[in-house]
Amino acid sequence: MSERLLLRALKGGENTKIITLNGKKITKMPSALGKLPGLKTLDLQNNQIPKVCPEISTLTQLTVLNLGNNLLEEIPEEVKYLTSLKKLHLFGNKICKFASGACDGLQNLILLNLNNNQLTWIPREVSRLKSLIYLSMNHNQLASIPKELCFLKNLSELQLNYNQLIYIPEEIKFLKKLQKLLLVGNNIEVLPEELCDLINLRILDIAGNFIQTFPSGFQNLKLKEFCCEGNPLFLRQPVNAVQQEDAWSLQEITSRFIMNELAGKNPFIMHVIEQHPQVRNIISQRRKCAICGNYFLTIWLECVEFVPPPKNWKISRNLQLVPLRILICSYKCFNQRGPNLFGIAQV
């Protein structure tokens, strides 16, 4: 049956625009595809194809390639020649890596579906997919995502459900057009503060992680849908704890002095600091106290503030208060806190 369909397509020559050979038990991609230079859509999902044929490189007008549910073990290098490709479906294979150069020629790709594969890493070259809008990598084995992925300035939807992610890079702030972020079923404990810079984010799903608090400013996101079930979120159940005395290290005392002098634009300190890159590197990790506004180096006192979720968020019914992670520089500031802010104590 598949042979007859292919022969019919070959008779059409350059006029053949679409080939669909789904579920035909094909074990080898037909090399005769190279004789169809005008092909726009090639759908070969639900077969048993272990690799692509070299002749696919000639299909420079191809805009849609569907090789979902086959036996591919890598994203083939040949796809870099498909310069017109807009949609690439490779879900349900055995893909564990990107072939060298696979991302090089896909400047027009807007959708990449890699769900249900065996990927453990993403190459930095993913940043070359300049036009990418939709990226889906659910059900893989990713432990991290490279910061280069966050340079895909057109990305609108990012799906990373059911991987092994433990953190999200702070560079996520560069995904200014991101509207939908799905992180269900990972191992994430902390969301970066830079997540709050995603002004166009409308859907966020972080269900089934290990998150206890959210970054300060999280409540200002313009979300329409927010899911966080299955996380050990802090609840407003205060207990009494012994308050300790402040004991700063010499580095902390010195760093606080320098950072606050820099904030006041002390010309002498500003001049001297330029000659000490190691010191600049240390103080670049500074934090700002939520009470007094001064800078400090170490996380002196980690607190949680409970705020009601915005009324326009569509959320689960059991989320009545959003726990925000707040950092305070000293017990002196802690004692000036508001009624909804609590220290995090070991009990």
Side-chain angles (χ1 to χ4, degrees):
M1 180 58 139
S2 59
E3 290 81 359
R4 289 201 301 271
L5 290 172
L6 186 57
L7 286 172
R8 188 184 305 168
L10 288 172
K11 289 180 181 179
E14 293 187 3
N15 295 321
T16 300
K17 303 300 181 185
I18 300 175
I19 288 183
T20 301
L21 295 171
N22 295 339
K24 303 299 182 183
K25 299 182 180 179
I26 299 173
T27 57
K28 183 179 179 181
M29 182 179 284
S31 59
L33 290 170
K35 299 178 181 180
L36 300 170
L39 200 62
K40 298 285 189 181
T41 299
L42 177 57
D43 194 342
L44 295 172
Q45 67 174 311
N46 300 323
N47 283 290
Q48 300 168 23
I49 299 171
K51 62 180 181 179
V52 302
C53 62
E55 290 78 8
I56 197 176
S57 303
T58 64
L59 303 181
T60 56
Q61 295 186 39
L62 198 68
T63 58
V64 180
L65 176 59
N66 191 337
L67 286 167
N69 293 329
N70 276 281
L71 302 174
L72 300 176
E73 295 184 358
E74 68 175 9
I75 298 179
E77 181 182 4
E78 288 81 359
V79 299
K80 71 180 181 182
Y81 299 106
L82 306 179
T83 53
S84 299
L85 199 63
K86 292 186 176 182
K87 297 181 180 181
L88 178 57
H89 299 276
L90 296 172
F91 57 86
N93 280 274
K94 298 181 178 181
I95 295 172
C96 59
K97 65 177 182 177
F98 287 64
S100 177
C103 298
D104 288 354
L106 300 177
Q107 301 299 315
N108 293 304
L109 194 69
I110 62 174
L111 182 150
L112 178 57
N113 185 339
L114 288 165
N115 294 341
N116 295 287
N117 277 287
Q118 300 172 17
L119 287 164
T120 58
W121 60 280
I122 304 171
R124 292 179 296 176
E125 290 74 18
V126 71
S127 63
R128 298 174 184 171
L129 305 178
K130 300 294 186 181
S131 300
L132 201 63
I133 297 176
Y134 307 99
L135 176 58
S136 187
M137 305 182 78
N138 300 326
H139 293 279
N140 278 274
Q141 300 168 26
L142 300 170
S144 65
I145 57 177
K147 63 181 181 181
E148 286 79 8
L149 186 148
C150 300
F151 301 146
L152 298 173
K153 63 180 182 179
N154 290 307
L155 200 63
S156 172
E157 182 172 325
L158 178 58
Q159 298 191 28
L160 294 166
N161 295 330
Y162 301 105
N163 280 279
Q164 299 171 19
L165 299 174
I166 57 176
Y167 73 96
I168 300 299
E170 63 183 30
E171 287 80 7
I172 196 165
K173 65 184 177 182
F174 296 118
L175 295 177
K176 297 299 185 182
K177 293 185 179 181
L178 195 65
Q179 297 184 34
K180 185 175 183 179
L181 178 59
L182 305 184
L183 298 167
V184 178
N186 281 281
N187 300 318
I188 300 169
E189 295 184 2
V190 177
L191 293 174
E193 293 180 6
E194 291 76 9
L195 184 74
C196 302
D197 294 335
L198 301 180
I199 58 175
N200 288 305
L201 192 64
R202 297 295 178 264
I203 299 175
L204 177 63
D205 194 340
I206 55 166
N209 280 277
F210 296 94
I211 295 168
Q212 294 181 309
T213 61
F214 299 104
S216 178
F218 183 79
Q219 76 278 17
N220 297 324
L221 286 171
K222 307 299 182 182
L223 298 178
K224 292 183 178 178
E225 295 182 22
F226 174 52
C227 299
C228 60
E229 294 86 350
N231 282 281
L233 296 177
F234 279 132
L235 302 177
R236 187 173 176 176
Q237 297 175 347
V239 297
N240 292 323
V242 177
Q243 199 175 105
Q244 301 177 358
E245 295 294 327
D246 292 340
W248 300 347
S249 67
L250 181 59
Q251 183 186 52
E252 182 69 25
I253 294 171
T254 306
S255 298
R256 292 191 182 201
F257 173 78
I258 293 173
M259 290 185 293
N260 289 310
E261 287 296 308
L262 288 173
K265 299 189 182 299
N266 182 310
F268 176 74
I269 297 294
M270 293 175 71
H271 173 71
V272 172
I273 204 72
E274 289 298 323
Q275 304 174 34
H276 296 276
Q278 185 177 3
V279 176
R280 292 205 310 271
N281 183 57
I282 292 174
I283 64 176
S284 68
Q285 308 300 318
R286 68 184 182 180
R287 301 293 183 123
K288 190 174 184 179
C289 178
I291 302 297
C292 70
N294 288 330
Y295 293 104
F296 61 98
L297 192 60
T298 58
I299 300 177
W300 190 251
L301 186 59
E302 187 174 1
C303 301
V304 58
E305 180 179 14
F306 294 94
V307 301
K311 294 180 179 179
N312 56 336
W313 285 14
K314 182 180 179 182
I315 57 175
S316 55
R317 294 180 180 177
N318 60 345
L319 183 65
Q320 298 178 354
L321 293 172
V322 177
L324 301 179
R325 183 170 179 257
I326 303 294
L327 301 180
I328 294 178
C329 71
S330 64
Y331 281 109
K332 177 181 178 182
C333 285
F334 178 69
N335 290 329
Q336 299 174 18
R337 70 191 187 280
N340 290 319
L341 196 149
F342 302 87
I344 297 175
Q346 300 294 328
V347 295

